[in-house]
Amino acid sequence: MENEEITNDTNSEQTSPIASSEQDLNFQNRIDLSELQQVVEKLRAELAKVIVGQQDFIELLIVSLLANGHVLIEGVPGIAKTITAKLFAKTLKTEFNRIQFTPDLMPSDVLGTSVLNMKTSDFEFKKGPIFSNMVLIDEINRAPAKTQAALFEVMEERQVTIDGTRYPMDPPFMVLATQNPVEQEGTYALPEAQLDRFLFKIKVDYPTLEEEVNILKTHHERKATKPLELVNTILTPQKLIEFKAKTQEVIIEEKILGYIAEIVTKTRTHPHLYLGGSPRASIAVMNASKAFAAINGRDFVTPEDIKKSLFPVLRHRIILSPEREMEGMTTENVIEMILQSVEIPR
């Protein structure tokens, strides 16, 4: 009898890990992300018809779309910043507007203005080009501060207030802004308050030699066909809203939240930094990490998702001290230092 009892106990101990693993599997699959994953792969495939390389760039665009954020794209002229943003908008079945920022652009040229209707003798509001779903702002740092400030309300609250009347934006609403590096002639640095409204700052570099050869090949083979004609619409607004809701449901444990908070808090006290990240930065890291998890088919956030989110979220929100900037240090260097100093949750 004693042997039977021992055997039974042993069997129960052996089966418990299996049972627990089945429970874990059920826990992980509580949110069905298979359709979202399929759509993400289709989006990548459509953009790959024209865009050579730039996989990280495309992934960050998709993540920002799911996280309901805006994107600032920085790089020298001629490396496909604008065309990638336009093609990305084409894959979505939504309205699209492009605004070219120039030094003489006024806020009313972006938001719209009230115009007197001669028939009714009343003022009517004529909506500006910002009233769309996907808005590409080309060379955002070529416009002066008053025009850049016109974007503050619409980017954060997704509404425009003109003459005391509030005009909400139709969802989905996303701003894709490109800018040349600040050293370029005729550019204005964006104020910190506006930079903070961008979920990501994506830095686009020159292609490798192999990628440049492929770019030449695709241009040669494409001949007179325009890039926009090669890309098909993949995602409807209804599906996008559904996917955004699923992304928000992705599970994030309290220890992971503590990991985010500790990293962002350290940016505020770091000796190499003049300005650290705000609570909005912490929220941005959390939302972006949820989207990274979702496109990888997981309904829970891991520390690896946090690491992927940190650099594009923080690089434009923190400011180096003048001494460190003169030494050639970058914000990425400081983010890496902070990452190394914070213990990864287990």
Side-chain angles (χ1 to χ4, degrees):
M1 289 295 291
E2 288 178 0
N3 290 337
E4 287 178 5
E5 287 175 5
I6 292 170
T7 306
N8 290 338
D9 290 340
T10 306
N11 288 338
S12 65
E13 285 175 6
Q14 288 175 346
T15 55
S16 60
I18 298 170
S20 64
S21 65
E22 287 177 353
Q23 288 174 357
D24 290 342
L25 188 62
N26 293 333
F27 174 78
Q28 291 172 12
N29 293 332
R30 284 197 302 182
I31 303 172
D32 183 14
L33 298 167
S34 56
E35 187 182 5
L36 188 152
Q37 268 192 297
Q38 290 170 9
V39 169
V40 167
E41 289 308 313
K42 286 180 183 177
L43 285 173
R44 284 177 169 151
E46 285 300 316
L47 293 171
K49 291 178 181 177
V50 179
I51 305 302
V52 176
Q54 308 290 12
Q55 288 87 357
D56 291 342
F57 180 16
I58 290 167
E59 182 178 54
L60 288 172
L61 287 177
I62 295 169
V63 166
S64 61
L65 181 70
L66 293 173
N68 205 30
H70 310 293
V71 174
L72 180 63
I73 309 159
E74 182 180 277
V76 296
I79 52 174
K81 302 187 304 296
T82 303
I83 190 64
T84 304
K86 286 179 73 174
L87 292 172
F88 180 66
K90 175 78 186 297
T91 60
L92 310 173
K93 197 173 183 179
T94 55
E95 288 186 21
F96 171 75
N97 277 341
R98 174 181 172 178
I99 311 172
Q100 181 67 49
F101 269 29
T102 56
D104 61 346
L105 196 74
M106 300 295 288
S108 58
D109 297 327
V110 177
L111 304 179
T113 186
S114 296
V115 178
L116 180 64
N117 186 326
M118 300 299 290
K119 291 182 180 179
T120 62
S121 298
D122 290 327
F123 281 96
E124 292 181 356
F125 178 63
K126 297 293 182 184
K127 293 181 177 179
I130 198 68
F131 284 87
S132 186
N133 299 118
M134 300 287 290
V135 180
L136 171 60
I137 298 177
D138 214 5
E139 297 188 305
I140 189 172
N141 58 339
R142 290 206 179 275
K146 62 181 177 182
T147 305
Q148 292 179 13
L151 299 171
F152 283 13
E153 181 185 15
V154 70
M155 287 179 67
E156 180 63 22
E157 301 173 42
R158 287 169 166 74
Q159 65 176 35
V160 172
T161 305
I162 303 286
D163 297 332
T165 305
R166 185 176 66 89
Y167 300 93
M169 311 301 290
D170 293 330
F173 175 70
M174 182 179 182
V175 172
L176 301 164
T178 68
Q179 73 169 12
N180 298 325
V182 217
E183 311 80 68
Q184 297 280 334
E185 191 177 346
T187 59
Y188 301 82
L190 270 65
E192 289 81 2
Q194 184 173 358
L195 286 170
D196 203 32
R197 281 161 169 76
F198 286 102
L199 177 72
F200 287 155
K201 179 182 179 181
I202 305 172
K203 286 190 174 180
V204 186
D205 295 322
Y206 286 115
T208 62
L209 177 61
E210 186 182 350
E211 287 172 346
E212 189 131 4
V213 171
N214 288 333
I215 289 168
L216 294 172
K217 282 182 182 177
T218 55
H219 271 262
H220 172 67
E221 292 165 2
R222 200 163 61 225
K223 302 191 187 302
T225 309
K226 295 179 180 178
L228 285 172
E229 295 173 2
L230 298 172
V231 174
N232 300 313
T233 299
I234 298 296
L235 191 55
T236 63
Q238 293 76 21
K239 273 294 173 189
L240 177 56
I241 290 168
E242 181 185 322
F243 290 156
K244 282 183 178 181
K246 282 190 175 182
T247 302
Q248 287 299 314
E249 292 173 14
V250 169
I251 299 149
I252 182 163
E253 294 182 10
E254 192 168 340
K255 61 183 178 182
I256 300 289
L257 293 176
Y259 184 52
I260 297 170
E262 189 175 354
I263 291 170
V264 176
T265 303
K266 282 203 170 190
T267 65
R268 300 168 197 163
T269 57
H270 200 280
H272 296 343
L273 294 178
Y274 171 73
L275 181 70
S278 66
R280 187 187 277 147
S282 301
I283 295 168
V285 172
M286 180 183 71
N287 290 337
S289 60
K290 285 182 179 182
F292 271 116
I295 66 172
N296 286 297
R298 282 183 284 102
D299 71 345
F300 60 95
V301 174
T302 65
E304 200 58 39
D305 298 319
I306 306 299
K307 290 179 182 178
K308 279 187 180 181
S309 307
L310 278 175
F311 289 90
V313 166
L314 288 179
R315 63 163 56 110
H316 58 294
R317 289 181 162 94
I318 60 177
I319 299 177
L320 287 170
S321 63
E323 298 82 13
R324 295 295 170 262
E325 196 169 4
M326 288 175 67
E327 291 172 5
M329 187 177 280
T330 64
T331 54
E332 283 87 354
N333 297 145
V334 180
I335 296 168
E336 186 63 44
M337 290 167 63
I338 293 172
L339 259 179
Q340 297 297 330
S341 69
V342 178
E343 186 181 353
I344 300 171
R346 303 295 178 188

